[in-house]
Amino acid sequence: MKSAQTDVIRVLVAKLGLDGHDRGAKVVARVLRDAGMEVIYSGLYKTPAQVVTAAIQEDVDVIGVSLLSGSHVPLFRELGRNLREQKAEHIFVVAGGVIPERDYPALLESGVDVVVPQEARAEVIISAIRDLVTARGRK
Amino acid sequence: MTLYSKAAIDEVRTRQGEWEARELDAALRSRPEEKERFATESGIPLKRIYTAADVADIPASDLGFPGAYPFTRGAYPTMYRGRPWTIRQVAGFGNPEATNQRYKYMIQTGQTGLSTDFDLPTLLGLDSDDPMSFGEVGRCGVAIDTIEDVDRLFDGIDLEKISVSLTINPSAWVVYSMFVAVAEQRGCDFTKLSGTLQADPLKEYVAQKEWIYPVRPAVRLLRDLIMYSAKATPRINPISLSGYHLSDVGGNAIQEIAFIMAFTIAYCDEVIEAGMNIDDFAPRLSFFFISHQDFFEQICKFRAARRVYAKLMAERFNAKKPESMRLRVHVQTAAMSLTKIEYQNNLMRTAIQALGAVLGGCQSMHTNGLDEAFAIPTEEAMKLAIRTQQIIRDEINVTSVIDPLGGSYFVERLTKDMEDEIWKVLHEVDERGGAIKLVEEGWFQQKLADSAYETFRKIDSGEKISVGVNRYVDESSSAADADIHPYDDDCTQLQIDRLNDVRSRRDNALVTRLLDELAEQALSDKTNLLPKTIELVKARATLGEICSRLRDVWGSYDEPLIV
């Protein structure tokens, strides 16, 4: 799967559905890039299927999705379903944005690996991704 | 004529020199100041103390009087003594009936104007049964598909008596058409309809990111709306130029005002080019700003914005009516400042920001609910937000004197400094070819993304303090969730059922013919599209059908990918 010459973590920072709030996604993209990761930004208005296809094409380790529209539960469910359908469950999913803690279990059940809280510092976001990819080995 | 005589200024300078050599020098020796450099949020350096010498260069005519050019001291001659600002809390969720019920609750609590948030499908011109609407119907605003939904939304509400603000953007001209068609059905006098549409397309491409078409057709739709509304509904503001969102995506106070003024110039150029006189539409241009955390900078921002706008209208556009030069502003407190951790603190944050907006002279205001970092606010949170405004208005006597901070050396200096910075940006936009071109190139988008990143770094390093989050952290208080406004899972199906019902009842051949005629009109920019759109909504064409038909003509928009 992976070209294996490099240990550089590849991340697709993605926006799902109709949510246009992209401030956080763009800040996180820069934070991860500054931390030495290779970052691809999806742009807005992507369906779960489009995001999974892009993640496979770009051979990323992680999909990071930022959602502030309140539609996170159905959209992450769809994302998880698409990952399974497209046989891409080796790609980790990190969720961020405005997500009440009571929704964390539903998201984790849908295939989200980590939910990053809204007020997370840069190092928390970075290490959440590094821990996923390195500590548990590449899926 | 300046505010102080030269002799007085010289005297102050001499005394200040003496004070610096004696008292100040001794104090700094015994205890250095906490920081080497003090500055506003947008980076304007702040001195230790301001004196008459700091305002020596400001002409007295730049201050003027409230309700008179250049409006620095206020939009109206009596301000809150004559009429308090409008308490206008935005609400919108679920089916139209759900939002209607919330309106009635808020009116009963003492709200004085209505304001509607629409769900994302409605904003983006999609029907509730569109595949892209999956999961979004009625989620962060009310779902509107047809004219009948607008009728339900304002059921039992007298549209001649209460002003209605509609936070609608790319599809604004359709929702406006539905609104006036409903008013017509009810036999309303159009000259009594009052309210505001947001309908500010350029800020969408750079900030809020809701679009249907490429930039130029979107601006043309706004032009049509401004020109139609000026004649048909003279008390409706067809646009609310929204600096708020520029701030929300990271813009500082200077960028908020400078960019929105650049957009104002672009819109005025369009309407004037189409043959309308500036004084026939400028009085109905309205504004929407944030009231953010840097208290004095925000107050000065409102004052500077009024002055810049007045000068722009008078000097650049040769407006003659004072109403064309009067900047009226709706304010919302800063959602970005709210935290999930110790969310009760958001009440204090919001109250202080609201006070800033009042001292800055706002015309209407939305105070955020303390739970808005979680979801759309609950009834209880909205009640507290309304109470916050009522306490400021009725308990603490800040409304008796107009522009109470006017004349403060510091406030006048900072107002002037901000004005100067705003003009610098406006000159740069002119030199680079104007706002529409720069939006297409992503110039504003890059500036805002850079500011957002800089702010994040400041919070991350602790340089910018967020109480309870990166300072005074109480580990035990981090996990609490607020009560959250529930989402109605049946909302989508009800909208879909209603769409099917409308489509089965209406004259489909008529709708098809009218859609064809609309598409034909859209091919050139000569015809105003509003009359045909109003015919369409009356014939029960859906919002999605109308918007998608024009997408066939104009295409959609590809964003320049800027990170």
PDB file of all heavy atoms in Angstrom, chain A residues 18 22-23 26 30 34 45 69-71 98-100 102 118-119 121-122, chain B residues 135-136 139 209-210 248 250 340 373-374 450 453 460 481-482 484 562:
ATOM      1  N   LEU A  18     -22.439  20.348   3.900  1.00  0.00           N
ATOM      2  CA  LEU A  18     -22.644  21.722   3.432  1.00  0.00           C
ATOM      3  C   LEU A  18     -22.035  22.758   4.377  1.00  0.00           C
ATOM      4  O   LEU A  18     -22.249  23.944   4.223  1.00  0.00           O
ATOM      5  CB  LEU A  18     -24.149  21.989   3.278  1.00  0.00           C
ATOM      6  CG  LEU A  18     -24.907  21.028   2.359  1.00  0.00           C
ATOM      7  CD1 LEU A  18     -26.384  21.401   2.293  1.00  0.00           C
ATOM      8  CD2 LEU A  18     -24.308  21.014   0.956  1.00  0.00           C
ATOM      9  N   ASP A  22     -14.588  26.973   7.604  1.00  0.00           N
ATOM     10  CA  ASP A  22     -13.315  26.324   7.273  1.00  0.00           C
ATOM     11  C   ASP A  22     -12.121  26.933   8.004  1.00  0.00           C
ATOM     12  O   ASP A  22     -10.987  26.583   7.744  1.00  0.00           O
ATOM     13  CB  ASP A  22     -13.083  26.331   5.759  1.00  0.00           C
ATOM     14  CG  ASP A  22     -13.043  27.733   5.174  1.00  0.00           C
ATOM     15  OD1 ASP A  22     -13.202  28.710   5.942  1.00  0.00           O
ATOM     16  OD2 ASP A  22     -12.842  27.854   3.957  1.00  0.00           O
ATOM     17  N   ARG A  23     -12.401  27.845   8.934  1.00  0.00           N
ATOM     18  CA  ARG A  23     -11.290  28.473   9.669  1.00  0.00           C
ATOM     19  C   ARG A  23     -10.453  27.418  10.388  1.00  0.00           C
ATOM     20  O   ARG A  23      -9.235  27.367  10.257  1.00  0.00           O
ATOM     21  CB  ARG A  23     -11.843  29.475  10.677  1.00  0.00           C
ATOM     22  CG  ARG A  23     -10.782  30.070  11.577  1.00  0.00           C
ATOM     23  CD  ARG A  23     -11.388  31.046  12.580  1.00  0.00           C
ATOM     24  NE  ARG A  23     -10.330  31.618  13.411  1.00  0.00           N
ATOM     25  CZ  ARG A  23     -10.437  32.766  14.069  1.00  0.00           C
ATOM     26  NH1 ARG A  23     -11.536  33.463  13.996  1.00  0.00           N
ATOM     27  NH2 ARG A  23      -9.435  33.212  14.808  1.00  0.00           N
ATOM     28  N   LYS A  26      -8.494  24.928   8.129  1.00  0.00           N
ATOM     29  CA  LYS A  26      -7.303  25.528   7.515  1.00  0.00           C
ATOM     30  C   LYS A  26      -6.182  25.744   8.541  1.00  0.00           C
ATOM     31  O   LYS A  26      -5.010  25.551   8.229  1.00  0.00           O
ATOM     32  CB  LYS A  26      -7.668  26.858   6.861  1.00  0.00           C
ATOM     33  CG  LYS A  26      -8.493  26.688   5.594  1.00  0.00           C
ATOM     34  CD  LYS A  26      -8.773  28.035   4.966  1.00  0.00           C
ATOM     35  CE  LYS A  26      -9.381  27.859   3.585  1.00  0.00           C
ATOM     36  NZ  LYS A  26      -9.470  29.145   2.883  1.00  0.00           N
ATOM     37  N   ARG A  30      -2.436  23.876   8.556  1.00  0.00           N
ATOM     38  CA  ARG A  30      -1.125  24.526   8.699  1.00  0.00           C
ATOM     39  C   ARG A  30      -0.341  23.983   9.890  1.00  0.00           C
ATOM     40  O   ARG A  30       0.878  23.808   9.813  1.00  0.00           O
ATOM     41  CB  ARG A  30      -1.316  26.031   8.899  1.00  0.00           C
ATOM     42  CG  ARG A  30      -1.499  26.767   7.622  1.00  0.00           C
ATOM     43  CD  ARG A  30      -1.054  28.207   7.841  1.00  0.00           C
ATOM     44  NE  ARG A  30      -1.800  29.080   6.962  1.00  0.00           N
ATOM     45  CZ  ARG A  30      -1.606  30.391   6.876  1.00  0.00           C
ATOM     46  NH1 ARG A  30      -0.708  30.981   7.633  1.00  0.00           N
ATOM     47  NH2 ARG A  30      -2.304  31.113   6.050  1.00  0.00           N
ATOM     48  N   ASP A  34       3.253  22.366   9.598  1.00  0.00           N
ATOM     49  CA  ASP A  34       4.394  22.872  10.372  1.00  0.00           C
ATOM     50  C   ASP A  34       5.034  21.757  11.200  1.00  0.00           C
ATOM     51  O   ASP A  34       6.212  21.827  11.545  1.00  0.00           O
ATOM     52  CB  ASP A  34       3.953  23.998  11.320  1.00  0.00           C
ATOM     53  CG  ASP A  34       3.644  25.279  10.553  1.00  0.00           C
ATOM     54  OD1 ASP A  34       3.838  25.285   9.318  1.00  0.00           O
ATOM     55  OD2 ASP A  34       3.205  26.249  11.189  1.00  0.00           O
ATOM     56  N   TYR A  45     -17.718  21.339   0.819  1.00  0.00           N
ATOM     57  CA  TYR A  45     -18.891  20.689   0.214  1.00  0.00           C
ATOM     58  C   TYR A  45     -18.569  19.307  -0.336  1.00  0.00           C
ATOM     59  O   TYR A  45     -18.927  18.973  -1.467  1.00  0.00           O
ATOM     60  CB  TYR A  45     -19.491  21.545  -0.915  1.00  0.00           C
ATOM     61  CG  TYR A  45     -19.868  22.939  -0.528  1.00  0.00           C
ATOM     62  CD1 TYR A  45     -19.851  23.956  -1.478  1.00  0.00           C
ATOM     63  CD2 TYR A  45     -20.250  23.254   0.763  1.00  0.00           C
ATOM     64  CE1 TYR A  45     -20.216  25.248  -1.147  1.00  0.00           C
ATOM     65  CE2 TYR A  45     -20.611  24.544   1.100  1.00  0.00           C
ATOM     66  CZ  TYR A  45     -20.591  25.537   0.139  1.00  0.00           C
ATOM     67  OH  TYR A  45     -20.943  26.818   0.469  1.00  0.00           O
ATOM     68  N   SER A  69     -21.411  22.100  11.790  1.00  0.00           N
ATOM     69  CA  SER A  69     -22.790  22.316  11.352  1.00  0.00           C
ATOM     70  C   SER A  69     -23.805  21.574  12.210  1.00  0.00           C
ATOM     71  O   SER A  69     -25.005  21.744  12.031  1.00  0.00           O
ATOM     72  CB  SER A  69     -22.944  21.860   9.905  1.00  0.00           C
ATOM     73  OG  SER A  69     -22.684  20.472   9.804  1.00  0.00           O
ATOM     74  N   GLY A  70     -23.333  20.732  13.130  1.00  0.00           N
ATOM     75  CA  GLY A  70     -24.262  19.952  13.937  1.00  0.00           C
ATOM     76  C   GLY A  70     -24.684  18.653  13.271  1.00  0.00           C
ATOM     77  O   GLY A  70     -25.394  17.852  13.866  1.00  0.00           O
ATOM     78  N   SER A  71     -24.228  18.434  12.038  1.00  0.00           N
ATOM     79  CA  SER A  71     -24.643  17.230  11.301  1.00  0.00           C
ATOM     80  C   SER A  71     -23.620  16.105  11.421  1.00  0.00           C
ATOM     81  O   SER A  71     -23.579  15.211  10.570  1.00  0.00           O
ATOM     82  CB  SER A  71     -24.839  17.565   9.828  1.00  0.00           C
ATOM     83  OG  SER A  71     -25.653  18.688   9.684  1.00  0.00           O
ATOM     84  N   VAL A  98     -17.237  21.589  16.322  1.00  0.00           N
ATOM     85  CA  VAL A  98     -18.209  21.744  17.409  1.00  0.00           C
ATOM     86  C   VAL A  98     -18.943  20.423  17.578  1.00  0.00           C
ATOM     87  O   VAL A  98     -19.891  20.119  16.859  1.00  0.00           O
ATOM     88  CB  VAL A  98     -19.200  22.891  17.127  1.00  0.00           C
ATOM     89  CG1 VAL A  98     -20.253  22.955  18.233  1.00  0.00           C
ATOM     90  CG2 VAL A  98     -18.468  24.222  17.039  1.00  0.00           C
ATOM     91  N   ILE A  99     -18.459  19.612  18.506  1.00  0.00           N
ATOM     92  CA  ILE A  99     -19.031  18.287  18.723  1.00  0.00           C
ATOM     93  C   ILE A  99     -19.261  18.081  20.215  1.00  0.00           C
ATOM     94  O   ILE A  99     -18.306  17.972  20.985  1.00  0.00           O
ATOM     95  CB  ILE A  99     -18.102  17.187  18.155  1.00  0.00           C
ATOM     96  CG1 ILE A  99     -17.961  17.399  16.635  1.00  0.00           C
ATOM     97  CG2 ILE A  99     -18.644  15.791  18.475  1.00  0.00           C
ATOM     98  CD1 ILE A  99     -17.009  16.455  15.962  1.00  0.00           C
ATOM     99  N   PRO A 100     -20.526  18.078  20.632  1.00  0.00           N
ATOM    100  CA  PRO A 100     -20.793  17.878  22.063  1.00  0.00           C
ATOM    101  C   PRO A 100     -20.292  16.506  22.520  1.00  0.00           C
ATOM    102  O   PRO A 100     -20.359  15.527  21.763  1.00  0.00           O
ATOM    103  CB  PRO A 100     -22.323  17.933  22.141  1.00  0.00           C
ATOM    104  CG  PRO A 100     -22.777  18.575  20.869  1.00  0.00           C
ATOM    105  CD  PRO A 100     -21.747  18.245  19.852  1.00  0.00           C
ATOM    106  N   ARG A 102     -21.490  14.385  24.397  1.00  0.00           N
ATOM    107  CA  ARG A 102     -22.476  13.291  24.420  1.00  0.00           C
ATOM    108  C   ARG A 102     -22.542  12.572  23.075  1.00  0.00           C
ATOM    109  O   ARG A 102     -23.055  11.458  22.999  1.00  0.00           O
ATOM    110  CB  ARG A 102     -23.848  13.830  24.801  1.00  0.00           C
ATOM    111  CG  ARG A 102     -24.480  14.714  23.734  1.00  0.00           C
ATOM    112  CD  ARG A 102     -25.772  15.294  24.236  1.00  0.00           C
ATOM    113  NE  ARG A 102     -25.539  16.019  25.490  1.00  0.00           N
ATOM    114  CZ  ARG A 102     -26.446  16.732  26.116  1.00  0.00           C
ATOM    115  NH1 ARG A 102     -27.667  16.811  25.630  1.00  0.00           N
ATOM    116  NH2 ARG A 102     -26.157  17.356  27.213  1.00  0.00           N
ATOM    117  N   GLN A 118     -12.577  20.906  20.916  1.00  0.00           N
ATOM    118  CA  GLN A 118     -12.502  22.220  20.283  1.00  0.00           C
ATOM    119  C   GLN A 118     -11.319  23.061  20.750  1.00  0.00           C
ATOM    120  O   GLN A 118     -10.705  23.756  19.972  1.00  0.00           O
ATOM    121  CB  GLN A 118     -13.788  22.939  20.660  1.00  0.00           C
ATOM    122  CG  GLN A 118     -14.284  23.951  19.697  1.00  0.00           C
ATOM    123  CD  GLN A 118     -15.685  24.352  20.129  1.00  0.00           C
ATOM    124  OE1 GLN A 118     -16.438  23.534  20.662  1.00  0.00           O
ATOM    125  NE2 GLN A 118     -16.029  25.581  19.903  1.00  0.00           N
ATOM    126  N   GLU A 119     -11.030  22.999  22.050  1.00  0.00           N
ATOM    127  CA  GLU A 119     -10.001  23.900  22.571  1.00  0.00           C
ATOM    128  C   GLU A 119      -8.618  23.257  22.589  1.00  0.00           C
ATOM    129  O   GLU A 119      -7.694  23.775  23.209  1.00  0.00           O
ATOM    130  CB  GLU A 119     -10.392  24.363  23.976  1.00  0.00           C
ATOM    131  CG  GLU A 119     -11.544  25.337  23.967  1.00  0.00           C
ATOM    132  CD  GLU A 119     -12.809  24.814  24.641  1.00  0.00           C
ATOM    133  OE1 GLU A 119     -12.939  23.588  24.852  1.00  0.00           O
ATOM    134  OE2 GLU A 119     -13.678  25.624  24.950  1.00  0.00           O
ATOM    135  N   ARG A 121      -4.919  22.177  22.084  1.00  0.00           N
ATOM    136  CA  ARG A 121      -3.717  22.887  21.645  1.00  0.00           C
ATOM    137  C   ARG A 121      -3.104  22.145  20.468  1.00  0.00           C
ATOM    138  O   ARG A 121      -3.391  20.971  20.227  1.00  0.00           O
ATOM    139  CB  ARG A 121      -2.714  22.980  22.794  1.00  0.00           C
ATOM    140  CG  ARG A 121      -3.258  23.751  23.988  1.00  0.00           C
ATOM    141  CD  ARG A 121      -2.151  24.027  24.973  1.00  0.00           C
ATOM    142  NE  ARG A 121      -0.987  24.603  24.284  1.00  0.00           N
ATOM    143  CZ  ARG A 121       0.232  24.655  24.811  1.00  0.00           C
ATOM    144  NH1 ARG A 121       0.456  24.155  26.005  1.00  0.00           N
ATOM    145  NH2 ARG A 121       1.230  25.195  24.137  1.00  0.00           N
ATOM    146  N   ALA A 122      -2.205  22.830  19.765  1.00  0.00           N
ATOM    147  CA  ALA A 122      -1.581  22.247  18.579  1.00  0.00           C
ATOM    148  C   ALA A 122      -0.937  20.903  18.911  1.00  0.00           C
ATOM    149  O   ALA A 122      -1.105  19.921  18.178  1.00  0.00           O
ATOM    150  CB  ALA A 122      -0.536  23.214  18.010  1.00  0.00           C
TER     151      ALA A 122
ATOM    152  N   GLY B 135     -28.770  14.936   6.061  1.00  0.00           N
ATOM    153  CA  GLY B 135     -28.288  15.226   7.418  1.00  0.00           C
ATOM    154  C   GLY B 135     -28.343  16.686   7.815  1.00  0.00           C
ATOM    155  O   GLY B 135     -28.014  17.031   8.940  1.00  0.00           O
ATOM    156  N   GLU B 136     -28.718  17.569   6.901  1.00  0.00           N
ATOM    157  CA  GLU B 136     -28.599  19.012   7.174  1.00  0.00           C
ATOM    158  C   GLU B 136     -29.945  19.716   7.313  1.00  0.00           C
ATOM    159  O   GLU B 136     -29.984  20.891   7.680  1.00  0.00           O
ATOM    160  CB  GLU B 136     -27.842  19.705   6.034  1.00  0.00           C
ATOM    161  CG  GLU B 136     -26.570  19.018   5.571  1.00  0.00           C
ATOM    162  CD  GLU B 136     -25.340  19.453   6.347  1.00  0.00           C
ATOM    163  OE1 GLU B 136     -25.501  20.053   7.425  1.00  0.00           O
ATOM    164  OE2 GLU B 136     -24.228  19.176   5.871  1.00  0.00           O
ATOM    165  N   ARG B 139     -31.170  21.738  10.501  1.00  0.00           N
ATOM    166  CA  ARG B 139     -30.142  21.491  11.515  1.00  0.00           C
ATOM    167  C   ARG B 139     -29.628  22.794  12.118  1.00  0.00           C
ATOM    168  O   ARG B 139     -29.733  22.993  13.321  1.00  0.00           O
ATOM    169  CB  ARG B 139     -28.989  20.704  10.875  1.00  0.00           C
ATOM    170  CG  ARG B 139     -27.880  20.343  11.815  1.00  0.00           C
ATOM    171  CD  ARG B 139     -28.195  19.194  12.732  1.00  0.00           C
ATOM    172  NE  ARG B 139     -28.300  17.934  12.010  1.00  0.00           N
ATOM    173  CZ  ARG B 139     -28.375  16.750  12.607  1.00  0.00           C
ATOM    174  NH1 ARG B 139     -28.329  16.676  13.933  1.00  0.00           N
ATOM    175  NH2 ARG B 139     -28.515  15.648  11.907  1.00  0.00           N
ATOM    176  N   LYS B 209     -18.598  31.266   3.281  1.00  0.00           N
ATOM    177  CA  LYS B 209     -18.444  30.147   2.338  1.00  0.00           C
ATOM    178  C   LYS B 209     -19.757  29.471   1.977  1.00  0.00           C
ATOM    179  O   LYS B 209     -19.876  28.249   2.030  1.00  0.00           O
ATOM    180  CB  LYS B 209     -17.445  29.114   2.888  1.00  0.00           C
ATOM    181  CG  LYS B 209     -16.115  29.696   3.336  1.00  0.00           C
ATOM    182  CD  LYS B 209     -15.310  30.219   2.163  1.00  0.00           C
ATOM    183  CE  LYS B 209     -14.057  30.950   2.577  1.00  0.00           C
ATOM    184  NZ  LYS B 209     -12.913  30.130   2.759  1.00  0.00           N
ATOM    185  N   GLU B 210     -20.748  30.284   1.653  1.00  0.00           N
ATOM    186  CA  GLU B 210     -21.961  29.721   1.074  1.00  0.00           C
ATOM    187  C   GLU B 210     -22.102  30.338  -0.302  1.00  0.00           C
ATOM    188  O   GLU B 210     -22.136  31.558  -0.437  1.00  0.00           O
ATOM    189  CB  GLU B 210     -23.184  30.091   1.910  1.00  0.00           C
ATOM    190  CG  GLU B 210     -23.207  29.418   3.272  1.00  0.00           C
ATOM    191  CD  GLU B 210     -23.958  30.241   4.303  1.00  0.00           C
ATOM    192  OE1 GLU B 210     -24.560  31.262   3.941  1.00  0.00           O
ATOM    193  OE2 GLU B 210     -23.906  29.864   5.478  1.00  0.00           O
ATOM    194  N   ASP B 248     -15.134  36.453  12.043  1.00  0.00           N
ATOM    195  CA  ASP B 248     -15.355  35.077  12.490  1.00  0.00           C
ATOM    196  C   ASP B 248     -14.357  34.099  11.862  1.00  0.00           C
ATOM    197  O   ASP B 248     -14.031  33.077  12.456  1.00  0.00           O
ATOM    198  CB  ASP B 248     -16.789  34.669  12.111  1.00  0.00           C
ATOM    199  CG  ASP B 248     -17.370  33.645  13.062  1.00  0.00           C
ATOM    200  OD1 ASP B 248     -17.060  33.715  14.257  1.00  0.00           O
ATOM    201  OD2 ASP B 248     -18.123  32.774  12.600  1.00  0.00           O
ATOM    202  N   GLY B 250     -11.323  34.965  11.179  1.00  0.00           N
ATOM    203  CA  GLY B 250      -9.975  35.311  11.604  1.00  0.00           C
ATOM    204  C   GLY B 250      -9.578  36.757  11.407  1.00  0.00           C
ATOM    205  O   GLY B 250      -8.532  37.176  11.886  1.00  0.00           O
ATOM    206  N   LYS B 340     -16.220  26.016  25.459  1.00  0.00           N
ATOM    207  CA  LYS B 340     -17.001  24.904  25.994  1.00  0.00           C
ATOM    208  C   LYS B 340     -16.633  24.675  27.459  1.00  0.00           C
ATOM    209  O   LYS B 340     -17.483  24.409  28.293  1.00  0.00           O
ATOM    210  CB  LYS B 340     -16.724  23.634  25.184  1.00  0.00           C
ATOM    211  CG  LYS B 340     -17.497  23.578  23.886  1.00  0.00           C
ATOM    212  CD  LYS B 340     -17.032  22.434  23.015  1.00  0.00           C
ATOM    213  CE  LYS B 340     -17.613  21.109  23.435  1.00  0.00           C
ATOM    214  NZ  LYS B 340     -17.204  20.029  22.496  1.00  0.00           N
ATOM    215  N   ALA B 373     -21.277  27.443  22.048  1.00  0.00           N
ATOM    216  CA  ALA B 373     -20.088  26.683  21.658  1.00  0.00           C
ATOM    217  C   ALA B 373     -20.427  25.201  21.508  1.00  0.00           C
ATOM    218  O   ALA B 373     -19.611  24.412  21.045  1.00  0.00           O
ATOM    219  CB  ALA B 373     -18.972  26.871  22.677  1.00  0.00           C
ATOM    220  N   PHE B 374     -21.640  24.833  21.884  1.00  0.00           N
ATOM    221  CA  PHE B 374     -22.061  23.424  21.774  1.00  0.00           C
ATOM    222  C   PHE B 374     -23.002  23.204  20.599  1.00  0.00           C
ATOM    223  O   PHE B 374     -22.859  22.263  19.828  1.00  0.00           O
ATOM    224  CB  PHE B 374     -22.803  22.985  23.047  1.00  0.00           C
ATOM    225  CG  PHE B 374     -21.972  23.014  24.277  1.00  0.00           C
ATOM    226  CD1 PHE B 374     -21.894  24.151  25.055  1.00  0.00           C
ATOM    227  CD2 PHE B 374     -21.248  21.890  24.650  1.00  0.00           C
ATOM    228  CE1 PHE B 374     -21.115  24.175  26.201  1.00  0.00           C
ATOM    229  CE2 PHE B 374     -20.472  21.910  25.801  1.00  0.00           C
ATOM    230  CZ  PHE B 374     -20.405  23.055  26.574  1.00  0.00           C
ATOM    231  N   ASP B 450      -4.316  33.886   7.103  1.00  0.00           N
ATOM    232  CA  ASP B 450      -3.078  34.229   7.829  1.00  0.00           C
ATOM    233  C   ASP B 450      -3.404  34.779   9.221  1.00  0.00           C
ATOM    234  O   ASP B 450      -2.756  34.418  10.204  1.00  0.00           O
ATOM    235  CB  ASP B 450      -2.267  35.267   7.043  1.00  0.00           C
ATOM    236  CG  ASP B 450      -1.653  34.676   5.776  1.00  0.00           C
ATOM    237  OD1 ASP B 450      -1.649  33.437   5.622  1.00  0.00           O
ATOM    238  OD2 ASP B 450      -1.191  35.466   4.923  1.00  0.00           O
ATOM    239  N   TYR B 453      -4.533  32.012  11.561  1.00  0.00           N
ATOM    240  CA  TYR B 453      -3.416  31.188  12.013  1.00  0.00           C
ATOM    241  C   TYR B 453      -2.615  31.906  13.104  1.00  0.00           C
ATOM    242  O   TYR B 453      -2.238  31.309  14.111  1.00  0.00           O
ATOM    243  CB  TYR B 453      -2.515  30.849  10.824  1.00  0.00           C
ATOM    244  CG  TYR B 453      -1.452  29.833  11.153  1.00  0.00           C
ATOM    245  CD1 TYR B 453      -1.814  28.546  11.553  1.00  0.00           C
ATOM    246  CD2 TYR B 453      -0.100  30.145  11.059  1.00  0.00           C
ATOM    247  CE1 TYR B 453      -0.848  27.605  11.863  1.00  0.00           C
ATOM    248  CE2 TYR B 453       0.873  29.207  11.360  1.00  0.00           C
ATOM    249  CZ  TYR B 453       0.498  27.945  11.764  1.00  0.00           C
ATOM    250  OH  TYR B 453       1.449  27.019  12.080  1.00  0.00           O
ATOM    251  N   ASP B 460      -2.404  29.349  21.363  1.00  0.00           N
ATOM    252  CA  ASP B 460      -1.651  28.115  21.621  1.00  0.00           C
ATOM    253  C   ASP B 460      -0.444  28.376  22.515  1.00  0.00           C
ATOM    254  O   ASP B 460      -0.098  27.572  23.370  1.00  0.00           O
ATOM    255  CB  ASP B 460      -1.198  27.522  20.278  1.00  0.00           C
ATOM    256  CG  ASP B 460      -1.055  26.012  20.368  1.00  0.00           C
ATOM    257  OD1 ASP B 460      -1.961  25.362  20.925  1.00  0.00           O
ATOM    258  OD2 ASP B 460      -0.036  25.480  19.895  1.00  0.00           O
ATOM    259  N   ASP B 481     -20.997  19.140  29.860  1.00  0.00           N
ATOM    260  CA  ASP B 481     -21.768  19.543  28.690  1.00  0.00           C
ATOM    261  C   ASP B 481     -22.910  20.437  29.147  1.00  0.00           C
ATOM    262  O   ASP B 481     -23.509  20.203  30.183  1.00  0.00           O
ATOM    263  CB  ASP B 481     -22.388  18.300  28.028  1.00  0.00           C
ATOM    264  CG  ASP B 481     -21.624  17.901  26.769  1.00  0.00           C
ATOM    265  OD1 ASP B 481     -20.583  18.513  26.486  1.00  0.00           O
ATOM    266  OD2 ASP B 481     -22.076  16.971  26.088  1.00  0.00           O
ATOM    267  N   ALA B 482     -23.220  21.436  28.335  1.00  0.00           N
ATOM    268  CA  ALA B 482     -24.418  22.222  28.608  1.00  0.00           C
ATOM    269  C   ALA B 482     -25.636  21.420  28.181  1.00  0.00           C
ATOM    270  O   ALA B 482     -25.526  20.419  27.480  1.00  0.00           O
ATOM    271  CB  ALA B 482     -24.353  23.521  27.817  1.00  0.00           C
ATOM    272  N   ILE B 484     -28.360  20.765  25.700  1.00  0.00           N
ATOM    273  CA  ILE B 484     -28.248  21.042  24.272  1.00  0.00           C
ATOM    274  C   ILE B 484     -29.618  21.032  23.617  1.00  0.00           C
ATOM    275  O   ILE B 484     -30.449  20.179  23.899  1.00  0.00           O
ATOM    276  CB  ILE B 484     -27.303  20.027  23.606  1.00  0.00           C
ATOM    277  CG1 ILE B 484     -25.880  20.261  24.111  1.00  0.00           C
ATOM    278  CG2 ILE B 484     -27.336  20.174  22.095  1.00  0.00           C
ATOM    279  CD1 ILE B 484     -24.899  19.284  23.588  1.00  0.00           C
ATOM    280  N   ILE B 562      -7.037  27.822  -0.736  1.00  0.00           N
ATOM    281  CA  ILE B 562      -6.030  28.583   0.020  1.00  0.00           C
ATOM    282  C   ILE B 562      -6.008  28.083   1.446  1.00  0.00           C
ATOM    283  O   ILE B 562      -7.056  27.987   2.080  1.00  0.00           O
ATOM    284  CB  ILE B 562      -6.367  30.077  -0.037  1.00  0.00           C
ATOM    285  CG1 ILE B 562      -5.977  30.605  -1.416  1.00  0.00           C
ATOM    286  CG2 ILE B 562      -5.651  30.852   1.054  1.00  0.00           C
ATOM    287  CD1 ILE B 562      -6.669  31.849  -1.791  1.00  0.00           C
TER     288      ILE B 562
END
